[in-house]
Amino acid sequence: MQKEIERKFLLKNDDWKGKAEPVLFRQGYIARTTDRTVRVRVANNQGFLTIKLRVGPISRHEYEYAIPLHEANELLNALDATEIIEKYRYTFEECGHIWEIDEFLGANAGLCIAEVELKNENEHITFPSWIGEEVSKLSKYLNVSLSQNPYSDWNKNSS
């Protein structure tokens, strides 16, 4: 088991662009409750099955397993197409940490989130100039939430 400690941020500007090549991710959730999820993902022509158990506001126990690509695609294809998350992920090092920028597609287009994994919840971070508001503790920014309530519906739901 690996403990995932992750902080998420919106982006102030596009100064991060050009730092890495995008990788297309396609993922969906087979099961979800308030404190655990089971996700299937395809990235770089590889399939993965991931189980996450929430243990704190920004911490989860994570179990990830490689699975055959055709099985991952079968599992994704069995889900409702509206629940599939597609995004480009850019991964690079800056200011002493590995950053992942997710640029969402489809019903979540227009949303970009930066994530940084930490060794502990109190680890100091030097923030790049393109980092904006922190959204780590706002559940609507979790991928599992975006699969049910996509970014394109947020303004519709508040009116």
Side-chain angles (χ1 to χ4, degrees), residues 15 17 70 73-74 80 86 90 111-112:
D15 290 352
K17 288 195 172 182
H70 74 277
N73 282 320
E74 284 176 9
D80 188 299
E86 290 188 315
Y90 305 80
L111 179 62
C112 288

Side-chain angles (χ1 to χ4, degrees), residues 5-125:
I5 303 169
E6 181 176 83
R7 289 178 66 184
K8 294 175 178 259
F9 303 87
L10 298 178
L11 303 174
K12 277 199 271 192
N13 57 51
D14 291 339
D15 290 352
W16 60 272
K17 288 195 172 182
K19 295 181 181 289
E21 291 298 315
V23 175
L24 180 64
F25 279 57
R26 186 171 180 253
Q27 64 189 45
Y29 294 85
I30 297 168
R32 57 185 140 219
T33 66
T34 56
D35 64 346
R36 60 195 68 175
T37 60
V38 179
R39 174 187 73 205
V40 62
R41 172 185 278 172
V42 171
N44 272 340
N45 289 317
Q46 295 178 303
F48 300 93
L49 190 64
T50 306
I51 302 163
K52 292 188 179 191
L53 308 171
R54 184 182 304 229
V55 294
I58 63 170
S59 300
R60 291 167 189 76
H61 290 306
E62 181 178 76
Y63 306 84
E64 185 165 76
Y65 307 96
I67 62 173
L69 179 61
H70 74 277
E71 290 180 11
N73 282 320
E74 284 176 9
L75 288 167
L76 282 170
N77 292 337
L79 298 173
D80 188 299
T82 61
E83 292 188 304
I84 303 295
I85 297 272
E86 290 188 315
K87 60 188 179 181
Y88 286 116
R89 175 165 285 174
Y90 305 80
T91 304
F92 55 92
E93 185 174 349
E94 184 149 334
C95 296
H97 282 88
I98 302 295
W99 291 88
E100 295 175 340
I101 308 291
D102 286 343
E103 183 177 32
F104 289 87
L105 305 171
N108 289 297
L111 179 62
C112 288
I113 296 176
E115 300 177 354
V116 62
E117 287 201 27
L118 308 173
K119 295 179 179 93
N120 66 69
E121 290 192 16
N122 299 312
E123 183 177 342
H124 173 75
I125 303 171

Side-chain angles (χ1 to χ4, degrees), residues 123-138:
E123 183 177 342
H124 173 75
I125 303 171
T126 300
F127 294 104
S129 62
W130 37 265
I131 289 295
E133 176 188 356
E134 182 165 9
V135 295
S136 301
K137 296 179 182 177
L138 300 177

